[in-house]
Amino acid sequence: MGVGLVARRLASVPPVATMARGTYRYFATFSYENGAVPRVGPNVFLAPTSAVVGNVTIGKNSSIWYNCVLRGDVNEIRIGEETNIQDGTVIHVAKNNAKGVALPTVIGDRVTVGHMALLHACTLEDLSFVGMAATVMDGAVVKKGAMIAAGSLVTPGKEVPSGQLWGGRPAKYMRDLTQNEKDFLPVSAAKYAQLARTHILHTKPCEPVATH
């Protein structure tokens, strides 16, 4: 399903405030002063050390990993289904650009975002892939099935076409994805969804082990 339909499909997702206390998603989420409350679908893993603030919507079977920050204060963050936002990633938004156009961050279904990425007021379409420590800036669009290499910088307003690998600082076209790479994109999302279910079931607070 395209990112243009994410908002309508997620409209029925309940706000976190309605969920039972004692779950990690409760302790990892925060309302904002304008009253915006994160909305989280079923079977979503929010790591205990993640911070999800304000106007953020996350679709079912997605995962927000340890030390991630999702700050939906001046605009909204929308994340689709079975998408993984890996450890240390920061996602923010912009109220609008110089022309007054609103700049939320919109992430589609089955997207993989590698460790310590930075996403700011951009769009990642379904089955796209952002490598570790990559940056995607305001107004940039990573099209369906496109891949950003680790450490790359996608500058404001750039559009990365479907089926292409971009890399570098600033990021530029490198080559078309191989068929094996294209086939890997849904596998990556499915594997992280399964791993997230394991963390939901087995991650719990513990006392540190004493050393001598």
Side-chain angles (χ1 to χ4, degrees):
M1 181 174 292
V3 293
L5 299 179
V6 168
R8 278 184 288 172
R9 186 190 55 201
L10 297 182
S12 61
V13 172
V16 173
T18 67
M19 297 179 179
R21 293 173 182 257
T23 63
Y24 287 135
R25 63 183 56 169
Y26 178 86
F27 291 111
T29 56
F30 305 89
S31 63
Y32 187 59
E33 64 180 8
N34 61 8
V37 176
R39 302 172 67 88
V40 177
N43 300 315
V44 167
F45 174 61
L46 298 185
T49 53
S50 64
V52 180
V53 181
N55 191 0
V56 181
T57 304
I58 304 171
K60 67 181 182 180
N61 299 321
S62 289
S63 53
I64 311 299
W65 292 83
Y66 302 94
N67 294 333
C68 288
V69 176
L70 282 64
R71 180 155 58 93
D73 47 9
V74 298
N75 215 317
E76 64 177 325
I77 297 170
R78 300 198 305 271
I79 297 173
E81 298 179 0
E82 206 172 281
T83 284
N84 61 91
I85 309 298
Q86 296 175 21
D87 313 69
T89 291
V90 174
I91 303 178
H92 193 224
V93 292
K95 188 171 184 179
N96 49 53
N97 62 15
K99 297 180 179 179
V101 177
L103 289 177
T105 294
V106 181
I107 301 173
D109 297 337
R110 294 188 291 171
V111 174
T112 292
V113 177
H115 310 289
M116 299 184 69
L118 172 59
L119 308 177
H120 199 273
C122 59
T123 296
L124 310 181
E125 294 190 354
D126 298 347
L127 287 170
S128 56
F129 185 102
V130 175
M132 292 183 285
T135 299
V136 185
M137 292 298 295
D138 300 42
V141 178
V142 181
K143 301 293 284 186
K144 181 177 181 179
M147 182 177 290
I148 305 301
S152 300
L153 171 62
V154 181
T155 50
K158 287 290 185 181
E159 183 173 297
V160 180
S162 297
Q164 292 187 1
L165 171 66
W166 282 40
R169 301 182 69 86
K172 297 179 180 179
Y173 170 78
M174 298 178 68
R175 58 175 173 81
D176 290 346
L177 296 180
T178 66
Q179 189 58 51
N180 284 342
E181 289 168 334
K182 292 178 181 179
D183 293 342
F184 170 73
L185 297 175
V187 172
S188 174
K191 285 185 173 180
Y192 253 91
Q194 180 60 50
L195 183 59
R197 286 191 285 272
T198 301
H199 278 253
I200 289 172
L201 292 173
H202 300 295
T203 303
K204 58 184 179 181
C206 65
E207 294 294 329
V209 176
T211 59
H212 301 283

